[in-house]
Amino acid sequence: MIYLSSVLLLIGLLVAVASFLYTLYSLFWNAVKIPEKKIRMKISLPRRIYILIRNVALQGKLFKDLSGGIMHALMFWGFVAFAGYSATFFARGIDPSYELISPGLFKDVIFLTVDIFAIVVIVDVIYAVSRRWILKIPRYQGYNGFEAAFILLLVSVLMVTYYALGVLRMDGASAGIPGAIMEGIPPAFTPVTGFFASLFPAASGSGAVDLYWVLYSIHAIDFLTFLVYIPTSKHLHLVAAPLNVLLSKDTKPAQLTPIDFENQKRFGASDIRDFSWKDYLDFYSCTECGRCTYNCPAFLTGKTLSPRDIIWDLREVVIAQGSKARHSGIEERDKILTPVIGDPISEEDLWSCTTCMACVEQCPVMIDHVEKIVDMRRSLVLNQGKAPKETIETYTNMENYGSPWVNDPSTRGDWAKDLGINILSETQNDDFDILYWVGCVASYDRRNQDIAKSIVSILKKANVKFAILGSEEKCTGDPAKRTGNEYLAQNLATANIETLNRHKVHRVITGCPHCFNSLKNDYKAMGLEMEVIHHTEFINQLVSLGKLDLKSLESDDKEKFTYHDSCYLGRYNKIYEEPRTIIKAVTDNYEEMEMNKSKALCCGAGGGRLWMNETVGTKISHKRMEMADKINATTVVTACPYCMVMLDDARRVMGKEEKMHITDIAEFVASRLN
Amino acid sequence: MPYNIIVLIKVIPDLEQIKPNPTTGEIVTDRTPLRLETLSENAIEAAVQLKEKYGGKVFGLIFGKPESAPMLKKAFAMGVDDGIVITGYKGNNPVYTAEVLCGKIKGMQYDLIIAGNQSADTYTGLLPGIISGKLGINLLGNALTIALEERKIRVKSTLEKKIQNLNATLPAVVSVTQETNQPRLPPVMQIMAAGRKQIVTEAAQPQTMTGTLQISNKAPRSERKRQLYEKPEEGIAAVVRAIKEEIR
Amino acid sequence: MKTLIFSDDGEIAAQISSYLKEGFENTIVTLKGEEGKCRRSGARSMFIFTGQPTASGLSLALKKLKDQNSADLVFIGSTAIGRDTAGLLAGSGGFKPLSEVTSVQFSNGKATTTRYLYGGKSVLTEESDSNLFVVAPGISEASLTENETEITEISLDQSPVTVEGEDQKSTGGADIEKAKVIVSIGRGLGKPDGLKLVEQLASAVKGEIAGSRPVCLDYHWLSEDRQVGLSGKKVRPRLYIALGISGQIQHIAGMRGSRTVVAINKDKSAPIFEECDYGLIGDLYTIVPKLVTALTS
Ligand SMILES: Cc1cc2nc3c(=O)[nH]c(=O)nc-3n(C[C@H](O)[C@H](O)[C@H](O)COP(=O)(O)OP(=O)(O)OC[C@H]3O[C@@H](n4cnc5c(N)ncnc54)[C@H](O)[C@@H]3O)c2cc1C
Ligand code: SF4
Ligand code: SF4
């Protein structure tokens, strides 16, 4: 028997699925055909599956924002359950004799889950509406409100019609109607439907059958509309995000893809062809949730940079230009693809980024904003020679003096002259176990020289046989790399690698997280194999091995300590606990600031910003010091020379010198050595 | 219309890395790293901007030493089309420098010569004038802006207290200041292309330099004096003396 | 010896004329409007040019004057137009120039001169038979006499380079990058009121006032164009007086090129004391008044 309803349903389904697939095909073919940027990826399947389970199935990263996370997770799980119902709905609707899942306890349990989650989803929708339109949670404001409302409407109609059809079924109105589902499910397995049925008088007769068909049609049309709508809206993430998570580049963030200057023709990202297929998947996965932007230090202090907008703007450009570019020849492409820098993405926003990774850390669908931002900076610097004036000066200085400031490189080791240590540029004596990499800031900045001296005294105390490079050390290139001057960064790295090899260095300790990250990750990518340790790790090891005996000072009782996480130590290299362990080994007077560890607020210096002016909004460093002030901290412990410079400056300018100290973990330890 | 522009490029020892011999106080620059003089960068930028606006070619002329060659590559990267390094620079003597440069320039086709108005190492500031005098062409000094029209040139010339609008005909010598422009960071493609370019060098003519005899070249002091007075009253006299010395 | 002294800045002409006292017969040449500053500096005769000055016009006119007065030596004040004029004179023949001299002595027909080289990092002493000296401003203090020199007006020769109007230099913004003397203040000033005291010192040393970033950018005690440092201006004055500035590297980056640095700070361990020639440790509010008195008495 062929029923009219089955035919209509089949046609509807075919049309909707075709539309769904075509849009997807078009989007994903864009991602295959247009990008020219090549990326390397490791397979590491077990890790990927783990991440997939953690971040998709268990919705792991979403819980960084707890209430929003719970809401989304319930919605997600509800949908997974509901998918089983919908499949059955269409299978039976098209062929009423077909049993997708054979009757039995298993089937009953599935429908039990559906029955429960459907009400959860309805509550969730109400909650979502209130967050967006009543509580007015800031991160949702101003973003595609219509789209959100439409989706929530579709979802709620779907759930309500599900229950309504269920109530009719319980009343017996659907018995014998071809395509009706869930007949014969014991009422105990649909408790919520049962509850609703008890609220209404039983329907019967031809009126009930008519009502059934009306609801049935609404339900089917709603579902099909949803299917068509998904890939054209932010709900594309339903499809793209799981893929994105599965294919996420690496778990080590911000490994900027190196440039092969000999063979590449285009540097950095100027238009949409300069991104990789993975970047496209990032664009498609964005849900506009705004978690990135509302953790971005630049945004939080009044700059116009918004990582969400960067991703979303690029996505819109891909959608607007993609299909046309895909169908055209190379020359036409040059005309169709317009530069993305300037419009829609402003240069100012690109330079505002501190590369702090807060956005990446927060993004539930594992989008990497920072590499895209740096890629666009690369395009400005490498193709057009454009950068803020102060940044261009630092490039000249790094080239001429091997440091971002104008400093005679022969004086780089002067701070250590009277310390009686092995300065390799003077001794050329390679008899040492570990190299202390000092870095530019500690070499030349007076305040930070004290920290370097503390590190030296700790190394001496622990009888470590170490050396420094003195005038043979050059800037690692981090400020150049993060501002997009990959060319200069590679030159500096090559020179340093040559020096390190010449002195046969196998182990390095450094007090600077930026040097640390460069040496450990960037240089490694260039083929340098050595063990790189940050001083927080090293000191922690020494303390736990009993090689350093720390005493607490009398003044410690009067102090309240807090620790400010460096982005390049924390989010970049996942070192959160070591410094805290060290501090807590000495004192109990410790309290966390708001925004700490993986959520820590940047000091404002990364990404080359230490050498730029910050004139828009409030200074990031001031905001951080306010947080320290809020918990009445008297000493902020840092582990990064950049943070030291920024926070010390903030402390002075805000007139908190009397009230608050800033000390590096090395100084903290050195002054408490027994 | 397109113009042929010659830009005079100076290579100097990096001032930050110049050190006196600790015992004699004499300045030795033999091993000091070289760099492009900043005003030369402004001159290059001005020349390249004119080329971009009106068309034509920019030729870079360095009077220096064989070691100056990499600096010509930098100039190429910034947009200079062609150039030469004349070797045999013997030290600061603007008349001799001008003689060597003009000897070369006289055999060339040009409309405009651009140079920095002074250089950071010697501060003589005479070279643009001497060259203009020797070649018998117009001098428009201290240009903030340069505009060309057929054979006419207009320049806003910045003096200590005012700005003059100067007019003249080509060919001409124009000197630029640090405010004239912001020298560009060369795009990497151009840096790499410049790296592959051959550098032509030739020996200076004439080879002998006459004129001044250097008696000594000593650092006025080795480093900061760092005379600290914990009792400030005791230091006031010395400070006042030092201040008067510098402001006389 | 007969000299011809030219500067478009009457003050510099007076300085040179005062410097060349013994054994010189000076003729001063300057522009109309500048004569007041050098009229009483002891020159035998004096000319003022009328009309729009250009380096070419000036060099032609000066050559003529030199010949008419049979002057042996020509001195030109080092200004933008002065240097160009000297260059043109040297280039078109008959002159052996020497630039930026800070002192000159003559004996046996030779001149022994000094000048700074390498941005002030060295002093060059030279012997030459030069007859055209470009003189750095401030070679001596202009000492004025009672007698006023007679003035003859000359209109400038036609020049192949013509002047078509002048623009005003924007006067509002301070040009601390060019200042020879800078009095720079930091947070140690404590309150904007302290500026009055600073102004006294600045006028005593004829200097511009500048400041550290907090003072300019954060507190707006000074305008932003007076900020010295990494993200401000790079200055290279002869004299830099730092009042209540701690001397962080970002600040030092902007004033390292200064020739002489005087620092006043109450904190003995302030890093500025490592970047200074003279350091007075103590409260600026007690030291600066003493300094002002000592300088003006
Ligand atoms: C990215 C970045 C860029 C920067 N760029 C610049 C820049 O371009 N220029 C710049 O200057 N700074 C810059 N800074 C700021 C710099 O780090 C310092 O914070 C700043 O220079 C300190 O200014 P200060 O010396 O006026 O204040 P402070 O460091 O607070 O020093 C005040 C000093 O005054 C002394 N003092 C107090 N009272 C008295 C008194 N009565 N008598 C005498 N002495 C007294 C104190 O002992 C102290 O040494 C930058 C910082 C960052 C992070
Ligand atoms: S890296 Fe930090 S500063 Fe940059 S966009 Fe992300 S959150 Fe904002
Ligand atoms: S990029 Fe990630 S965190 Fe930002 S709005 Fe999109 S999905 Fe949310």
Side-chain angles (χ1 to χ4, degrees):
Chain A
M1 260 272 281
I2 296 173
Y3 302 99
L4 180 63
S5 64
S6 302
V7 175
L8 290 177
L9 198 63
L10 181 63
I11 293 173
L13 188 65
L14 286 178
V15 170
V17 168
S19 155
F20 176 79
L21 288 179
Y22 180 76
T23 321
L24 279 188
Y25 151 82
S26 173
L27 287 171
F28 284 91
W29 212 231
N30 282 349
V32 173
K33 286 292 189 183
I34 301 172
E36 290 177 11
K37 180 178 176 184
K38 304 271 179 296
I39 51 167
R40 282 176 299 183
M41 272 196 359
K42 292 204 195 100
I43 301 195
S44 53
L45 202 60
R47 175 107 236 126
R48 290 184 186 286
I49 291 173
Y50 164 74
I51 297 173
L52 191 68
I53 294 175
R54 181 174 182 276
N55 290 342
V56 178
L58 301 179
Q59 303 269 291
K61 283 195 88 182
L62 281 144
F63 295 114
K64 287 184 184 264
D65 172 353
L66 199 60
S67 49
I70 293 174
M71 178 183 94
H72 185 277
L74 291 175
M75 186 90 86
F76 170 79
W77 292 324
F79 262 79
V80 172
F82 208 78
Y85 166 86
S86 296
T88 318
F89 178 89
F90 279 97
R92 288 234 0 149
I94 290 162
D95 179 358
S97 60
Y98 185 68
E99 286 285 359
L100 190 65
I101 312 169
S102 41
L105 187 61
F106 178 62
K107 186 175 182 175
D108 295 346
V109 170
I110 287 184
F111 284 109
L112 173 65
T113 337
V114 172
D115 203 60
I116 294 167
F117 268 109
I119 187 70
V120 172
V121 168
I122 290 176
V123 173
D124 225 17
V125 166
I126 295 168
Y127 181 54
V129 166
S130 76
R131 276 169 68 92
R132 191 178 277 268
W133 287 285
I134 299 168
L135 296 175
K136 290 201 188 290
I137 302 258
R139 72 177 159 92
Y140 298 129
Q141 301 310 315
Y143 287 88
N144 287 344
F146 169 77
E147 201 178 295
F150 186 58
I151 292 283
L152 290 175
L153 181 73
L154 286 179
V155 171
S156 39
V157 168
L158 204 61
M159 298 303 145
V160 170
T161 47
Y162 156 80
Y163 282 122
L165 288 170
V167 170
L168 287 176
R169 181 189 68 239
M170 288 201 147
D171 296 344
S174 62
I177 294 183
I181 58 169
M182 292 176 73
E183 299 293 342
I185 299 281
F189 284 88
T190 54
V192 184
T193 311
F195 169 73
F196 285 127
S198 68
L199 295 182
F200 298 98
S204 61
S206 70
V209 174
D210 290 345
L211 183 61
Y212 176 88
W213 279 117
V214 170
L215 289 170
Y216 183 89
S217 313
I218 294 178
H219 190 83
I221 291 169
D222 185 307
F223 183 91
L224 296 175
T225 314
F226 197 53
L227 202 57
V228 173
Y229 194 59
I230 285 174
T232 66
S233 72
K234 65 178 189 167
H235 283 72
L236 176 57
H237 83 269
L238 292 178
V239 185
L243 268 178
N244 204 39
V245 170
L246 178 68
L247 297 172
S248 63
K249 263 208 315 212
D250 209 327
T251 42
K252 279 242 179 66
Q255 289 273 27
L256 302 173
T257 311
I259 295 178
D260 176 357
F261 285 101
E262 290 306 322
N263 298 313
Q264 265 171 253
K265 287 270 156 4
R266 299 173 66 94
F267 308 130
S270 315
D271 59 48
I272 57 167
R273 90 189 87 165
D274 301 317
F275 294 93
S276 70
W277 60 265
K278 177 60 180 56
D279 291 326
Y280 278 52
L281 204 50
D282 276 0
F283 304 149
Y284 298 156
S285 303
C286 177
T287 69
E288 274 200 308
C289 71
R291 285 172 165 81
C292 49
T293 294
Y294 278 81
N295 283 280
C296 170
F299 182 84
L300 290 177
T301 54
K303 282 86 179 161
T304 51
L305 168 63
S306 156
R308 158 171 59 190
D309 290 10
I310 300 249
I311 300 300
W312 200 258
D313 285 343
L314 289 171
R315 168 194 170 118
E316 307 242 284
V317 177
V318 166
I319 290 173
Q321 302 178 348
S323 302
K324 216 167 151 205
R326 181 152 52 83
H327 291 116
S328 58
I330 297 291
E331 264 150 56
E332 260 177 273
R333 243 183 221 204
D334 283 341
K335 274 184 231 137
I336 297 167
L337 300 180
T338 55
V340 290
I341 307 172
D343 177 31
I345 295 169
S346 80
E347 285 180 30
E348 187 192 328
D349 286 356
L350 294 176
W351 294 117
S352 298
C353 173
T354 69
T355 66
C356 74
M357 281 280 173
C359 49
V360 179
E361 183 75 27
Q362 285 296 325
C363 178
V365 297
M366 302 186 77
I367 288 171
D368 184 345
H369 316 68
V370 178
E371 174 149 22
K372 295 173 191 55
I373 291 174
V374 174
D375 265 342
M376 287 184 273
R377 287 180 169 187
R378 282 178 173 178
S379 158
L380 285 171
V381 173
L382 301 176
N383 303 326
Q384 305 178 50
K386 269 199 199 162
K389 189 168 147 278
E390 310 93 70
T391 305
I392 292 185
E393 274 172 31
T394 63
Y395 294 159
T396 317
N397 297 340
M398 281 187 253
E399 232 179 284
N400 292 331
Y401 310 117
S403 96
W405 297 285
V406 179
N407 282 115
D408 179 349
S410 68
T411 62
R412 193 174 179 108
D414 282 5
W415 65 272
K417 255 188 192 158
D418 305 326
L419 300 180
I421 60 175
N422 182 0
I423 304 178
L424 291 176
S425 58
E426 282 165 21
T427 62
Q428 297 298 331
N429 170 8
D430 289 349
D431 181 24
F432 58 89
D433 297 330
I434 189 161
L435 182 86
Y436 169 30
W437 182 279
V438 185
C440 302
V441 188
S443 293
Y444 295 116
D445 178 65
R446 246 305 308 276
R447 176 69 189 85
N448 278 283
Q449 285 173 358
D450 290 344
I451 300 170
K453 287 177 187 163
S454 294
I455 293 181
V456 165
S457 72
I458 293 169
L459 292 172
K460 280 185 174 168
K461 184 84 185 175
N463 286 321
V464 179
K465 203 170 178 192
F466 70 99
I468 66 168
L469 281 171
S471 60
E472 287 183 25
E473 185 183 287
K474 280 174 186 262
C475 174
T476 57
D478 167 80
K481 196 177 184 83
R482 307 290 154 182
T483 49
N485 197 339
E486 181 69 10
Y487 187 73
L488 178 56
Q490 285 188 15
N491 284 344
L492 287 165
T494 311
N496 280 325
I497 290 176
E498 204 267 327
T499 309
L500 289 165
N501 283 336
R502 187 155 39 79
H503 290 293
K504 304 188 189 62
V505 178
H506 297 297
R507 282 183 92 200
V508 170
I509 173 178
T510 176
C512 173
H514 295 262
C515 296
F516 175 68
N517 185 61
S518 296
L519 295 169
K520 187 178 166 125
N521 300 323
D522 300 342
Y523 283 27
K524 186 168 182 194
M526 292 179 72
L528 182 70
E529 281 298 337
M530 58 180 190
E531 188 190 350
V532 186
I533 313 163
H534 186 258
H535 75 313
T536 48
E537 297 176 290
F538 196 74
I539 294 172
N540 191 39
Q541 270 172 27
L542 291 177
V543 173
S544 64
L545 291 175
K547 289 197 180 168
L548 288 181
D549 187 10
L550 299 185
K551 58 167 188 271
S552 50
L553 303 177
E554 255 175 50
S555 58
D556 287 351
D557 288 343
K558 289 170 234 118
E559 303 265 345
K560 181 188 270 179
F561 294 90
T562 189
Y563 174 74
H564 164 77
D565 287 277
S566 144
C567 308
Y568 277 68
L569 205 56
R571 280 186 289 265
Y572 276 73
N573 289 292
K574 306 280 173 277
I575 298 177
Y576 297 114
E577 292 311 328
E578 287 82 345
R580 291 179 166 82
T581 315
I582 300 170
I583 301 170
K584 287 178 191 164
V586 174
T587 173
D588 296 329
N589 297 336
Y590 179 85
E591 190 174 333
E592 292 288 349
M593 284 183 263
E594 64 178 294
M595 299 185 89
N596 55 62
K597 298 189 183 168
S598 70
K599 280 188 129 184
L601 185 76
C602 177
C603 71
R609 296 240 23 125
L610 182 60
W611 294 270
M612 293 179 212
N613 251 338
E614 190 182 348
T615 45
V616 180
T618 42
K619 292 208 171 75
I620 296 172
S621 56
H622 290 200
K623 187 167 174 92
R624 191 53 166 167
M625 287 312 271
E626 273 163 23
M627 292 178 178
D629 207 20
K630 213 189 254 170
I631 58 163
N632 288 315
T634 55
T635 298
V636 179
V637 184
T638 58
C640 169
Y642 287 34
C643 300
M644 174 56 83
V645 170
M646 295 309 266
L647 299 183
D648 196 36
D649 176 62
R651 183 181 70 113
R652 288 162 195 278
V653 173
M654 295 166 79
K656 294 201 195 310
E657 292 141 298
E658 312 291 321
K659 208 172 149 196
M660 223 189 274
H661 305 280
I662 302 183
T663 182
D664 188 272
I665 191 86
E667 297 175 302
F668 178 86
V669 168
S671 61
R672 289 166 180 78
L673 285 176
N674 246 332
Chain B
M1 77 182 251
Y3 296 92
N4 286 325
I5 304 172
I6 296 175
V7 56
L8 306 182
I9 303 168
K10 183 159 184 181
V11 176
I12 63 171
D14 190 304
L15 297 184
E16 301 300 329
Q17 301 184 56
I18 286 180
K19 275 184 283 285
N21 178 319
T23 45
T24 63
E26 291 281 325
I27 295 281
V28 263
T29 55
D30 299 351
R31 287 176 46 219
T32 315
L34 297 174
R35 65 175 297 175
L36 267 185
E37 206 283 310
T38 17
L39 276 157
S40 293
E41 289 187 28
N42 294 105
I44 295 170
E45 180 64 36
V48 173
Q49 281 182 12
L50 288 175
K51 172 182 88 170
E52 285 165 353
K53 186 156 173 203
Y54 302 107
K57 283 244 162 359
V58 178
F59 189 92
L61 207 50
I62 293 182
F63 179 30
K65 300 177 179 165
E67 302 84 61
S68 314
M71 297 300 136
L72 189 55
K73 292 201 170 180
K74 247 187 143 168
F76 288 156
M78 288 176 73
V80 171
D81 301 285
D82 203 353
I84 192 166
V85 177
I86 304 177
T87 57
Y89 183 78
K90 292 195 183 72
N92 167 240
N93 180 331
V95 176
Y96 175 63
T97 303
E99 210 172 315
V100 171
L101 289 172
C102 289
K104 180 75 195 167
I105 293 171
K106 274 182 185 146
M108 294 174 57
Q109 285 275 334
Y110 66 90
D111 303 295
L112 196 59
I113 299 171
I114 303 186
N117 67 346
Q118 270 187 323
S119 57
D121 58 342
T122 62
Y123 254 71
T124 70
L126 295 184
L127 197 71
I130 304 180
I131 289 192
S132 143
K134 275 196 190 302
L135 295 172
I137 60 176
N138 292 324
L139 169 67
L140 301 95
N142 311 295
L144 284 180
T145 62
I146 308 168
L148 301 172
E149 202 186 326
E150 300 290 321
R151 303 302 296 166
K152 285 214 187 71
I153 173 165
R154 277 183 296 139
V155 152
K156 278 194 186 296
S157 168
T158 172
L159 307 181
E160 280 74 13
K161 290 176 191 133
K162 60 186 179 190
I163 294 167
Q164 287 182 322
N165 299 316
L166 301 180
N167 281 2
T169 53
L170 296 177
V173 177
V174 171
S175 74
V176 296
T177 71
Q178 264 190 41
E179 299 119 275
T180 308
N181 51 41
Q182 172 77 41
R184 67 189 65 189
L185 184 71
V188 167
M189 272 300 186
Q190 277 173 248
I191 298 180
M192 294 200 295
R196 289 188 284 268
K197 259 193 175 163
Q198 278 309 105
I199 298 290
V200 185
T201 57
E202 73 182 38
Q205 292 298 333
Q207 292 190 349
T208 46
M209 170 168 97
T210 52
T212 49
L213 171 74
Q214 182 172 315
I215 297 174
S216 74
N217 179 9
K218 286 197 180 166
R221 49 138 202 279
S222 55
E223 268 187 326
R224 294 273 175 231
K225 292 198 184 74
R226 290 189 205 145
Q227 290 186 13
L228 301 191
Y229 298 93
E230 296 219 20
K231 298 211 179 77
E233 311 77 42
E234 291 169 8
I236 295 232
V239 169
V240 167
R241 222 175 303 127
I243 291 180
K244 286 207 164 145
E245 172 73 11
E246 291 297 358
I247 63 172
R248 83 186 150 114
Chain C
M1 273 185 283
K2 280 187 154 184
T3 70
L4 192 68
I5 299 168
F6 166 73
S7 181
D8 56 322
D9 181 336
E11 173 78 24
I12 301 177
Q15 289 169 357
I16 302 174
S17 175
S18 308
Y19 183 71
L20 302 170
K21 275 251 163 68
E22 307 296 310
F24 293 95
E25 190 179 304
N26 296 336
T27 298
I28 290 186
V29 189
T30 189
L31 302 182
K32 193 177 167 98
E34 292 288 314
E35 64 272 21
K37 298 178 197 160
C38 46
R39 204 164 172 185
R40 294 190 287 121
S41 57
R44 285 286 158 87
S45 54
M46 217 174 136
F47 297 91
I48 53 174
F49 288 139
T50 61
Q52 288 284 11
T54 63
S56 2
L58 289 168
S59 66
L60 293 173
L62 283 173
K63 186 147 176 33
K64 227 189 265 174
L65 268 179
K66 184 210 172 218
D67 294 343
Q68 278 169 13
N69 289 275
S70 48
D72 309 296
L73 303 169
V74 176
F75 292 83
I76 294 184
S78 178
T79 60
I81 217 167
R83 289 184 292 270
D84 281 350
T85 307
L88 282 171
L89 284 172
S92 40
F95 287 93
K96 293 178 186 159
L98 210 57
S99 54
E100 288 305 297
V101 299
T102 48
S103 77
V104 55
Q105 253 137 39
F106 296 92
S107 63
N108 309 327
K110 297 261 182 203
T112 305
T113 49
T114 57
R115 61 182 165 118
Y116 285 102
L117 201 64
Y118 300 131
K121 287 222 167 167
S122 80
V123 179
L124 196 60
T125 311
E126 288 163 308
E127 193 181 272
S128 65
D129 54 358
S130 299
N131 56 0
L132 170 61
F133 302 88
V134 179
V135 179
I139 192 162
S140 77
E141 221 159 307
S143 60
L144 303 184
T145 62
E146 286 301 302
N147 307 331
E148 291 196 340
T149 313
E150 273 310 300
I151 294 180
T152 316
E153 275 195 22
I154 304 181
S155 95
L156 276 172
D157 286 331
Q158 283 294 325
S159 147
V161 177
T162 55
V163 182
E164 230 175 53
E166 299 175 341
D167 299 344
Q168 222 52 40
K169 265 206 161 170
S170 50
T171 44
D175 200 354
I176 60 167
E177 270 162 329
K178 291 220 179 98
K180 297 266 187 271
V181 177
I182 290 177
V183 179
S184 193
I185 54 171
R187 285 189 52 235
L189 194 67
K191 50 185 192 278
D193 269 0
L195 271 171
K196 289 190 202 110
L197 182 60
V198 177
E199 277 159 13
Q200 287 174 20
L201 178 61
S203 84
V205 297
K206 300 197 199 68
E208 287 281 357
I209 299 180
S212 67
R213 186 173 83 167
V215 163
C216 300
L217 206 70
D218 297 306
Y219 305 151
H220 300 290
W221 294 347
L222 296 175
S223 56
E224 283 175 26
D225 57 356
R226 289 178 191 265
Q227 181 191 330
V228 171
L230 180 77
S231 45
K233 300 267 174 68
K234 315 278 180 300
V235 301
R236 329 180 56 91
R238 292 183 186 184
L239 174 64
Y240 190 87
I241 306 180
L243 306 176
I245 292 180
S246 61
Q248 306 299 318
I249 193 168
Q250 288 85 5
H251 187 80
I252 303 293
M255 49 68 75
R256 181 168 275 140
S258 311
R259 205 151 79 196
T260 297
V261 176
V262 174
I264 300 176
N265 194 307
K266 67 179 182 190
D267 174 8
K268 181 163 91 181
S269 64
I272 189 75
F273 286 131
E274 280 167 36
E275 262 313 312
C276 80
D277 296 287
Y278 302 92
L280 301 178
I281 301 164
D283 187 343
L284 71 92
Y285 283 98
T286 58
I287 299 176
V288 172
K290 287 183 191 157
L291 212 52
V292 173
T293 325
L295 281 164
T296 45
S297 66

